[in-house]
Amino acid sequence: MVAGALVCAGYPLLPDGGLTPVVVYNGFGVLAFAAVVAGIRRHRPAAARGWWVFAAGLISYVCADVVYEVSGLVLGEHPSPYWDDLIYFSAYPVLLAGLLMISRGRGRREPAGLIDAAIIAAGAGLVFWVLVIQPTLGEQGIPLVQRLVKAGYPTFDVLLCAVVTRLISRPGPRVAGRWLLAFGCALNFTGDVVWSLTDRDDSYSDTLTHSCFILAYAMWAGAALHPSMARIGHRAATVPRFRRGRLLLLGGVTMTAPAVLFLQGARGEVINWPAIGVGAVLLFLLVLTRLAGFVGQTQRQAAELEELAMRDDLTGLANRRRFELRLRAAVAAGSPQVCLLDLNGFKRVNDRHGHAVGDHLLVAVAARLSSELPGEGLLARMGGDEFALLLADASAAEGDAVIDRLAGALRRPFAVDGHELLVSAAIGVADGADPVEVLRRADVAMYAAKTSQARFRRYAVELDDRADEEARLGAELRSALDAGQFHLVYQPIVALPDGRIRYVEALVRWGRRSPAAFIPVAERNGLIVELGEWILRAACDQFVAWQAGYGDRAPERISVNVSARQLAEPGFAGVVADALARAGMDPSSLIVEVTETAVFGGGVAVAAVEELHRMGVRIALDDFGTGHSSLGLLQTVPVDVLKVDKSFVDNLALAGRHAVIATALIQVSDGLGLTAVAEGVETAEQAALLHDLGYRFAQGYHFGRPVSQPAFDGVEVPAR
Ligand code: C2E
Ligand code: MG
Ligand code: MG
């Protein structure tokens, strides 16, 4: 390209006439051809065929130039028509076809762009026809063939115009190669126009045209050699937008008819009514077609957008918005059945296997639920792990039957990313005459199903009462915590057989209410996190106070219950560390009691337990033996203490096989080097039996009830 510019600058200095300018100009044409061939070979563009056609057109064009120049030099004039015209006329279509093929590449058909190009061609065609072609055709005293040949060139220019428009406006990567190609065409066009508008034997215009052509060659060569040429015509990544520039261009082109009319009128020429009329109508029709396409595209996009806005991205099911719309319509038309379905244990899957597996599980659940619903109802994902089903026209019995089938389907394990995952769902179903109310009822029923472990629950008014009760209790808990109405009691954990207090377990109290009544509520509404932190700090402070007050007689350790929700809270280990540090307590003096179910799922809960264990805190498995996979847990969770559940102690004194489990558990515990604590020891007989079995730690009413101040020195202070 630089060479092209230099040659252009130097070109006027060359001696006028003679062989040198001819050789320089055409030599450049040959070089451009060679560059195009080299470019194709080096960059191997997808549209290679188009480039080869273009190269063929280019070399034919150069041949025509050579014939033209040489014939001029040899014959002393340019005969017209002559052989060069024939070659030009065959070179132009090839060149244009090549350019079109390149610009199209492997992209999809794009009718809008074709119409745009046609509009440009029509506009340019009108101008050329009125100002150049028709006057040429009408020239007097020149043979018809000669006039036809002369008019042929501007016709090609009009087509060239359309091709340049295509090149520039086609959606796809706007790379340097594409611009160079288009600029080359524009220069070629300019050269042609200058050539046809001026006197051909005038050396000034000759220099100007040739400079244009040389620069065009340079641009084309540059386009072919630029690596980006391989990407011209690649598919556009996005739907092309109708930009303002294009609108202006197309609008401007439609003005050509009045502009030509004005020009002819101003020049006092005879106005070419038929041509201007045909041109104006043609332009009008083309623009109309374009607009119709544009409106169609906009409507299509609007429909697509609406579809997207109503669909859940992950599962492809309807989303909450569509569900609510359809529910509203269904409620207006009759009494639909609505079912809400919340996966149990989904969070665990997410924590344990990562979000990708969680997402794939949701997709699999959606697919299975859909396959169980042949044509019945609308299934939607309402968000997270919650799905909803709308049965627009079903009786309660039919609804129950469908839901029973769904619940059954969900019980089969899911194979996801190489994992066998077991999920179940809490399902609530309801009907009613108001869309908001139906959803609320289904939600209440689902919530009840969650706490009752039932396969599914149908809404009933009592459920509302229960939910109200729970909400009220939740609110009371909140204010009780703010008002400092909780306190701790401590139950001794003693050594066997002498009953000496070794540890204490901290148990929370709220007035006279049992923790069994309010802890589950606090777990569900999340308050346990804050309450648990308070319990932990209070227990640590009390422990340190005892150590200061009782010295050797103080308990060696204090045991604090921690619920699953607390373990799942990020940064829980940090909270424990802070409580220990503030109280000035050694981590090994603290025992954290977790239940088997809390750590069963692994994930964050186990990670928290591991972190605590690394800090030196002791870990106890509470109510051991009542959860699932008790023994398996001992391999995955770092445990120091097994709290053998009361149910195994209760049965000890009964004859027969009842001592078998208590015996097995002490053996496991001893084998693994753990401390076993027998819970709920109520009689001396149980205590003696446990001691015989090998138990060295026990807890229960027989040794002491939970009280505010246990009798470390023999004097028990009763609970407040
Ligand atoms: P747990 O951790 O297994 O606590 C032992 C429960 O058994 C206590 O009931 C205790 O009073 C009771 N118990 C002790 N010895 C005997 C006995 O000889 N016979 C009988 N029948 N019962 C005995 P409590 O205090 O009502 O606590 C119930 C459950 O509430 C606890 O079971 C624990 O899971 C939970 N909980 C209590 N305090 C807290 C707390 O501070 N935080 C958390 N997260 N949960 C707590
Ligand atoms: Mg406990
Ligand atoms: Mg227990």
Side-chain angles (χ1 to χ4, degrees):
M1 255 168 12
V2 178
L6 287 177
V7 172
C8 275
Y11 196 73
L13 304 176
L14 292 178
D16 202 13
L19 212 55
T20 324
V22 177
V23 170
V24 170
Y25 165 57
N26 289 304
F28 220 85
V30 174
L31 279 180
F33 167 75
V36 171
V37 171
I40 301 173
R41 299 206 146 179
R42 184 194 291 175
H43 302 308
R44 302 186 179 282
R49 208 183 295 169
W51 278 97
W52 282 119
V53 173
F54 176 69
L58 188 60
I59 196 64
S60 320
Y61 192 87
V62 176
C63 288
D65 270 351
V66 170
V67 172
Y68 172 81
E69 300 284 0
V70 171
S71 67
L73 285 178
V74 173
L75 304 176
E77 54 157 3
H78 294 294
S80 176
Y82 190 60
W83 292 110
D84 62 297
D85 291 316
L86 190 66
I87 313 178
Y88 277 128
F89 276 34
S90 38
Y92 260 118
V94 178
L95 203 64
L96 293 175
L99 285 168
L100 267 183
M101 287 163 79
I102 294 169
S103 86
R104 181 156 165 226
R106 289 211 184 138
R108 60 189 151 211
R109 275 179 188 285
E110 196 233 343
L114 278 178
I115 298 175
D116 287 356
I119 292 174
I120 302 283
L126 178 60
V127 174
F128 271 74
W129 178 263
V130 173
L131 299 185
V132 186
I133 302 175
Q134 213 180 28
T136 310
L137 287 176
E139 271 176 44
Q140 298 298 314
I142 300 177
L144 181 64
V145 186
Q146 200 176 335
R147 277 182 279 156
L148 278 176
V149 167
K150 222 177 139 189
Y153 289 98
T155 310
F156 281 125
D157 288 336
V158 170
L159 294 176
L160 194 59
C161 244
V163 170
V164 175
T165 315
R166 268 321 271 144
L167 256 179
I168 297 177
S169 68
R170 238 200 116 79
R174 297 183 173 267
V175 289
R178 187 164 151 185
W179 287 118
L180 288 171
L181 210 55
F183 276 133
C185 294
L187 281 164
N188 186 280
F189 172 78
T190 317
D192 258 0
V193 172
V194 172
W195 184 75
S196 41
L197 289 184
T198 52
D199 181 359
R200 288 176 206 174
D201 291 325
D202 168 20
S203 75
Y204 173 71
S205 76
D206 217 31
T207 311
L208 198 61
T209 12
H210 280 170
S211 295
C212 282
F213 290 141
I214 290 175
L215 262 186
Y217 285 149
M219 295 272 176
W220 285 338
L225 292 176
H226 198 276
S228 68
M229 64 89 86
R231 288 194 290 138
I232 304 176
H234 267 198
R235 197 176 282 256
T238 52
V239 179
R241 276 192 300 159
F242 196 85
R243 287 173 198 275
R244 199 182 301 161
R246 189 177 286 214
L247 188 67
L248 277 177
L249 181 70
L250 296 184
V253 173
T254 55
M255 298 304 288
T256 45
V260 170
L261 195 62
F262 178 78
L263 198 69
Q264 286 205 305
R267 283 212 222 151
E269 291 171 8
V270 181
I271 292 191
N272 191 342
W273 292 109
I276 297 176
V278 168
V281 169
L282 185 63
L283 277 172
F284 172 74
L285 289 178
L286 283 170
V287 170
L288 202 65
T289 316
R290 180 69 165 97
L291 278 183
F294 181 60
V295 171
Q297 183 188 346
T298 312
Q299 281 171 344
R300 258 194 320 280
Q301 283 172 347
E304 267 169 33
L305 262 182
E306 191 173 310
E307 172 60 26
L308 279 179
M310 293 286 180
R311 208 178 53 202
D312 173 52
D313 278 347
L314 179 66
T315 59
L317 297 179
N319 63 9
R320 178 182 281 274
R321 215 168 298 137
R322 167 162 292 166
F323 187 86
E324 287 178 353
L325 276 178
R326 292 275 288 274
L327 173 61
R328 222 171 291 158
V331 164
S335 176
Q337 301 284 318
V338 168
C339 143
L340 281 183
L341 203 149
D342 191 90
L343 298 186
N344 296 324
F346 176 72
K347 190 176 174 316
R348 228 177 260 168
V349 171
N350 250 349
D351 287 347
R352 194 171 189 170
H353 302 293
H355 286 270
V357 174
D359 282 356
H360 295 162
L361 174 63
L362 289 176
V363 173
V365 167
R368 187 170 300 170
L369 289 176
S370 304
S371 70
E372 289 292 327
L373 290 175
E376 298 166 63
L378 172 77
L379 186 66
R381 178 168 169 240
M382 304 295 266
D385 59 351
E386 192 176 305
F387 295 84
L389 169 67
L390 172 67
L391 296 170
D393 198 20
S395 67
E398 286 164 341
D400 287 357
V402 172
I403 291 156
D404 207 43
R405 209 164 67 218
L406 292 187
L410 285 182
R411 269 162 208 261
R412 297 200 304 275
F414 287 88
V416 177
D417 297 343
H419 305 281
E420 279 272 285
L421 300 176
L422 262 179
V423 289
S424 60
I427 305 180
V429 55
D431 48 26
D434 175 74
V436 178
E437 176 61 12
V438 180
L439 267 182
R440 191 195 68 79
R441 288 179 177 182
D443 197 52
V444 169
M446 180 184 83
Y447 202 65
K450 238 187 174 84
T451 45
S452 75
Q453 309 282 314
R455 202 167 163 99
F456 71 89
R457 287 298 288 263
R458 179 167 278 280
Y459 170 81
V461 189
E462 307 86 77
L463 293 185
D464 259 343
D465 297 344
R466 219 174 296 163
D468 283 352
E469 166 70 18
E470 172 140 347
R472 200 178 42 71
L473 189 62
E476 278 179 28
L477 279 174
R478 170 78 262 171
S479 39
L481 186 59
D482 293 338
Q485 290 174 0
F486 291 98
H487 70 275
L488 295 183
V489 290
Y490 304 90
Q491 184 176 31
I493 296 172
V494 302
L496 290 178
D498 57 11
R500 194 168 40 89
I501 298 179
R502 298 283 304 269
Y503 311 152
V504 289
E505 177 175 1
L507 296 158
V508 68
R509 293 288 179 268
W510 177 26
R512 296 173 57 194
R513 267 181 268 211
S514 154
F518 64 84
I519 290 284
V521 178
E523 276 172 352
R524 282 196 287 272
N525 76 1
L527 201 70
I528 190 68
V529 174
E530 204 178 320
L531 176 60
E533 189 174 334
W534 176 84
I535 292 169
L536 190 73
R537 292 184 190 281
C540 291
D541 290 345
Q542 176 66 83
F543 179 80
V544 172
W546 281 330
Q547 291 227 309
Y550 290 100
D552 289 349
R553 284 165 296 134
E556 297 154 44
R557 297 202 164 102
I558 187 162
S559 202
V560 177
N561 293 283
V562 164
S563 73
R565 183 84 181 244
Q566 287 172 274
L567 288 176
E569 198 69 13
F572 176 68
V575 169
V576 176
D578 185 66
L580 288 169
R582 284 194 188 206
M585 179 173 154
D586 193 278
S588 65
S589 303
L590 178 67
I591 304 173
V592 159
E593 289 193 16
V594 299
T595 59
E596 294 167 80
T597 30
V599 287
F600 174 64
V604 189
V606 169
V609 167
E610 280 168 348
E611 199 177 338
L612 289 174
H613 196 252
R614 273 197 300 275
M615 279 161 49
V617 173
R618 305 293 151 112
I619 307 297
L621 272 185
D622 205 354
D623 307 336
F624 188 76
T626 56
H628 18 212
S629 169
S630 301
L631 292 176
L633 278 182
L634 298 179
Q635 291 181 314
T636 52
V637 183
V639 180
D640 306 285
V641 179
L642 287 190
K643 298 198 71 176
V644 175
D645 190 67
K646 180 173 185 299
S647 56
F648 306 120
V649 175
D650 283 347
N651 296 336
L652 267 186
L654 304 176
R657 53 192 290 271
H658 299 294
V660 172
I661 298 179
T663 311
L665 289 181
I666 189 67
Q667 282 167 357
V668 168
S669 173
D670 285 349
L672 293 173
L674 309 178
T675 304
V677 177
E679 283 190 298
V681 182
E682 293 181 338
T683 64
E685 189 190 2
Q686 286 171 337
L689 273 168
L690 286 164
H691 181 250
D692 288 348
L693 290 179
Y695 283 85
R696 293 297 170 261
F697 284 85
Q699 176 181 6
Y701 293 168
H702 173 64
F703 301 105
R705 291 189 173 248
V707 288
S708 294
Q709 290 290 333
F712 302 122
D713 48 7
V715 187
E716 184 179 296
V717 181
R720 265 189 278 164

